[in-house]
Amino acid sequence: MGVSDDKKFLLEAVKLARKGIGKVSPNPLVGAVVVKKGIVVGRGHHKKFGGRHAEVVALEKTGRRARGGTLYISLEPCCHYGKNPPCTEAIIQAGIKTVVFASKDPNPVACANSEKILKKAKIKTKLIELEEAIELNKFYFKRIKSGTAFVALKAAISLDGKIANERGKSKWISSAESRNLVQKMRNRFDAVMIGINTVVRDDPKITCRIKGGRNPVRVVLDTNGRIPLKSKILKQKGLTVVATTKRAPKARMQKLMEMGALPVIVKEREGVVDFNGLMKELVKMGIQSVLIEGGAALNASAIKAGVVDEFYFFISPKIIGRGLDVFSGIKLKKWVEFENAEFKTIGPDVFIKVKAN
């Protein structure tokens, strides 16, 4: 089979992998396709954290037809014993002749010797790197390579650059179509972060409202530990993390724990919760991706800390006039310019995605 056929089957594996969004983290998203004489004879994807890997699912569905076939995988197969046996063992036992994968796994524990093991078993291996496969697992790759979480900052903005009017009201700047996309983001990201000002002003729930979606972990940045105990965010299903400092009253932190929330004490930096320290604490909890849905102050703090990997801006065709800027009080020596911005329309809004340099 030629490169075009290889790419076609790899893209199918990537499509299968997407079925695991919101279900497998902090594991990577993986899809697998078994091909024999140019025909797909088996498919599989990683369905849930701790569950069977995509390769094993596909090979079990294929059975004896896998012998002499080609296995296409969105990510390099693992070769270690974790919650599951090594996928390389299953591949060898199935009699696969060739393994083609769309992205390398940077995890030195999981995949350090995968290709060597397969080649020793006289199985050909081929890497055809696809941007779609790399994009799919950017959260996982960031955690493995840096030990910290992938962070995206989302904001709904008017044409004159405001995220709320002068009274702090922001419901609704963006369209229903844009808000639906945000719900899909909440399903994909492990955690959603907001600031204490948003909690006090808007009293949001921060839940995922799409069918079959999962509620993200809710992270509230609360330097002084002043979150109201009657806040809606403390009453939703799932975990709420209150990131605070030694300033927080111990009695209030104890009450939060009794309510099922998790106070996390972090060092201060410039008078607020240290973002970088918090990200490392979140990774220890199994959180490898964070979506910031904050107000102007939180947005500015995230920019200053340099933790943002991507920005998602929803530009709405509205003019607000006097109001809150998207970034509050941030001082720059020169403007920040981004490359490779992506644009698309969502209902009446324009969605802009940019990667931090």
Side-chain angles (χ1 to χ4, degrees):
M1 284 182 286
V3 174
S4 60
D5 289 320
D6 286 338
K7 184 175 180 180
K8 178 182 74 174
F9 293 126
L10 286 175
L11 286 172
E12 183 169 354
V14 170
K15 185 177 180 180
L16 286 167
R18 291 194 180 104
K19 292 183 177 183
I21 287 175
K23 300 168 185 174
V24 306
S25 184
N27 281 354
L29 294 156
V30 186
V33 176
V34 183
V35 176
K36 190 81 170 283
K37 296 180 180 180
I39 299 173
V40 175
V41 292
R43 297 176 175 88
H45 70 280
H46 187 32
K47 295 182 178 181
K48 63 178 182 179
F49 177 72
R52 292 179 303 161
H53 291 183
E55 301 94 315
V56 173
V57 174
L59 291 170
E60 286 183 354
K61 287 182 178 179
T62 308
R64 294 180 180 179
R65 292 174 298 170
R67 189 161 295 279
T70 300
L71 177 64
Y72 291 89
I73 324 170
S74 58
L75 182 69
E76 181 181 11
C78 71
C79 64
H80 81 304
Y81 282 89
K83 287 184 170 59
N84 289 276
C87 287
T88 48
E89 276 190 10
I91 292 169
I92 293 168
Q93 291 171 4
I96 288 291
K97 185 178 179 180
T98 305
V99 174
V100 185
F101 50 98
S103 55
K104 289 281 291 181
D105 190 333
N107 189 334
V109 175
C111 299
N113 299 306
S114 294
E115 287 191 83
K116 187 185 296 183
I117 290 169
L118 293 174
K119 287 177 180 178
K120 188 176 180 180
K122 301 189 180 336
I123 297 173
K124 296 178 182 178
T125 63
K126 188 192 301 185
L127 169 65
I128 301 177
E129 205 165 66
L130 296 184
E131 185 59 39
E132 293 89 343
I134 296 169
E135 172 72 14
L136 185 69
N137 279 311
K138 60 188 177 185
F139 302 163
Y140 170 76
F141 292 155
K142 173 75 183 293
R143 174 177 65 83
I144 294 298
K145 291 177 180 179
S146 69
T148 190
F150 184 100
V151 180
L153 189 154
K154 163 253 158 185
I157 312 171
S158 65
L159 287 176
D160 52 347
K162 308 300 180 183
I163 60 171
N165 64 21
E166 59 185 336
R167 296 185 302 278
K169 299 297 181 182
S170 60
K171 190 177 181 178
W172 297 102
I173 289 179
S174 60
S175 65
E177 293 90 340
S178 292
R179 297 196 299 275
N180 184 56
L181 178 55
V182 171
Q183 293 301 316
K184 292 179 180 178
M185 290 179 180
R186 288 183 180 179
N187 179 54
R188 179 163 188 196
F189 279 78
D190 292 334
V192 170
M193 179 182 293
I194 62 174
I196 184 60
N197 292 334
T198 298
V199 175
V200 172
R201 183 182 65 241
D202 300 334
D203 196 18
K205 295 179 180 179
I206 308 297
T207 55
C208 178
R209 296 187 289 276
I210 61 173
K211 187 176 180 180
R214 62 160 182 175
N215 279 345
V217 173
R218 297 168 291 272
V219 181
V220 180
L221 259 67
D222 185 10
T223 302
N224 297 299
R226 60 188 179 94
I227 184 170
L229 298 179
K230 293 183 179 180
S231 300
K232 292 177 183 175
I233 201 168
L234 297 173
K235 300 175 182 178
Q236 309 309 312
K237 290 183 179 179
L239 178 64
T240 297
V241 173
V242 179
T244 187
T245 65
K246 291 181 179 179
R247 297 190 204 178
K250 291 182 179 179
R252 179 168 291 243
M253 296 302 102
Q254 179 61 39
K255 183 62 178 177
L256 287 173
M257 286 191 285
E258 292 172 2
M259 295 173 65
L262 178 63
V264 175
I265 309 299
V266 183
K267 290 182 179 179
E268 284 186 42
R269 183 179 291 271
E270 296 184 8
V272 296
V273 170
D274 176 23
F275 259 97
N276 291 286
L278 174 59
M279 292 305 158
K280 291 177 180 177
E281 289 299 318
L282 294 178
V283 165
K284 291 177 184 177
M285 296 167 56
I287 295 170
Q288 65 180 4
S289 58
V290 178
L291 178 64
I292 295 177
E293 292 192 34
L298 177 57
N299 292 343
S301 294
I303 293 289
K304 290 177 183 177
V307 299
V308 182
D309 296 288
E310 288 183 349
F311 295 87
Y312 307 144
F313 296 121
F314 295 87
I315 312 298
S316 178
K318 296 180 175 73
I319 293 176
I320 290 178
R322 293 178 62 179
L324 299 178
D325 294 328
V326 64
F327 301 110
S328 174
I330 187 169
K331 293 182 180 180
L332 299 173
K333 293 182 179 179
K334 61 178 182 179
W335 63 60
V336 177
E337 188 171 353
F338 299 102
E339 298 178 358
N340 303 317
E342 298 178 22
F343 300 83
K344 67 178 179 180
T345 56
I346 302 178
D349 302 335
V350 175
F351 174 68
I352 304 176
K353 171 184 169 183
V354 291
K355 295 181 180 180
N357 297 327

